[in-house]
Amino acid sequence: MTRSNTRSLQMSFSDRLGAQPPLGFFDPLGLLTDADEARFTRLRDVELKHGRISMLAVLGHIVTTAGLRFPGDIAFGVPFASIGNGFNALFGPHAVPQQGLTQIIIFIGAVDLGYTYAKDQIEAVHLGKLAEIVGANKVESKKAIELNNGRAAQLGILGLAVHEKLNNDPYIINSLLGAPVPF
């Protein structure tokens, strides 16, 4: 990538939502080199979706590690309480059975398909309600906060997964501070 391409790239997207201090516009892999508005919008939508999924993943990891489970069965004769935490929910003797995993995948696919189909209407309603609650002048700030929280959650779930595989202690910070979490 030449210096002039970098400069023109930064000029075109440097004022967009998500280009915040201290990094400003950050594209270390050059995914937006010679990109148009449609490509930028697509990548931003994907970043936002992955951030939302990661926020749910971190929350789910914390909640299941705390021992909270849905009542009932995930599959015939297999209660939610018998499912393991973290990777143990996917592999091993306490993993989600194939029927339960199939249900989860179908549900996620249906939600994603429905959201993709009605994305514009859903966002219009929710942004309108957000403007009523916080004021129209703070909507962009709230959108930037959601984007940054999603970025942090993506790194957070990655950290939980790496530490779980390294030494089976995803909450290593708690251990270092003297309050270990049994996992």
Side-chain angles (χ1 to χ4, degrees):
M1 178 178 353
T2 65
R3 192 172 204 95
S4 63
N5 284 349
T6 304
R7 230 180 273 126
S8 65
L9 179 68
Q10 289 177 344
M11 288 174 56
S12 63
F13 298 120
S14 64
D15 61 341
R16 302 300 296 270
L17 182 71
Q20 298 165 325
L23 296 177
F25 179 73
F26 187 65
D27 184 25
L29 299 178
L31 296 175
L32 291 172
T33 303
D34 299 326
D36 58 358
E37 183 68 26
R39 172 106 172 121
F40 176 81
T41 303
R42 170 74 178 130
L43 289 176
R44 178 52 48 89
D45 287 346
V46 168
E47 179 184 18
L48 191 58
K49 182 189 288 188
H50 285 114
R52 289 172 177 166
I53 291 167
S54 296
M55 286 187 269
L56 288 172
V58 169
L59 180 64
H61 201 289
I62 292 169
V63 166
T64 56
T65 301
L68 300 173
R69 300 287 197 279
F70 286 121
D73 295 347
I74 190 166
F76 304 111
V78 181
F80 281 101
S82 69
I83 303 300
N85 298 333
F87 284 113
N88 291 331
L90 296 175
F91 311 107
H94 301 291
V96 174
Q98 185 176 5
Q99 303 93 331
L101 199 55
T102 302
Q103 292 174 33
I104 292 169
I105 291 170
I106 290 171
F107 175 74
I108 291 171
V111 168
D112 189 41
L113 185 63
Y115 178 76
T116 301
Y117 178 73
K119 178 181 179 284
D120 295 333
Q121 295 90 341
I122 293 169
E123 286 185 355
V125 168
H126 287 280
L127 290 176
K129 288 182 180 181
L130 180 63
E132 290 175 14
I133 295 169
V134 300
N137 58 339
K138 292 186 179 179
V139 169
E140 288 300 309
S141 170
K142 295 295 183 183
K143 287 170 67 176
I145 290 168
E146 179 188 19
L147 189 61
N148 279 337
N149 286 344
R151 290 170 176 169
Q154 289 176 61
L155 294 175
I157 195 65
L158 177 66
L160 287 171
V162 167
H163 284 286
E164 181 181 343
K165 290 312 264 180
L166 284 176
N167 62 356
N168 204 35
D169 185 14
Y171 300 98
I172 192 166
I173 298 295
N174 293 43
S175 299
L176 293 173
L177 295 175
V181 175
F183 188 72

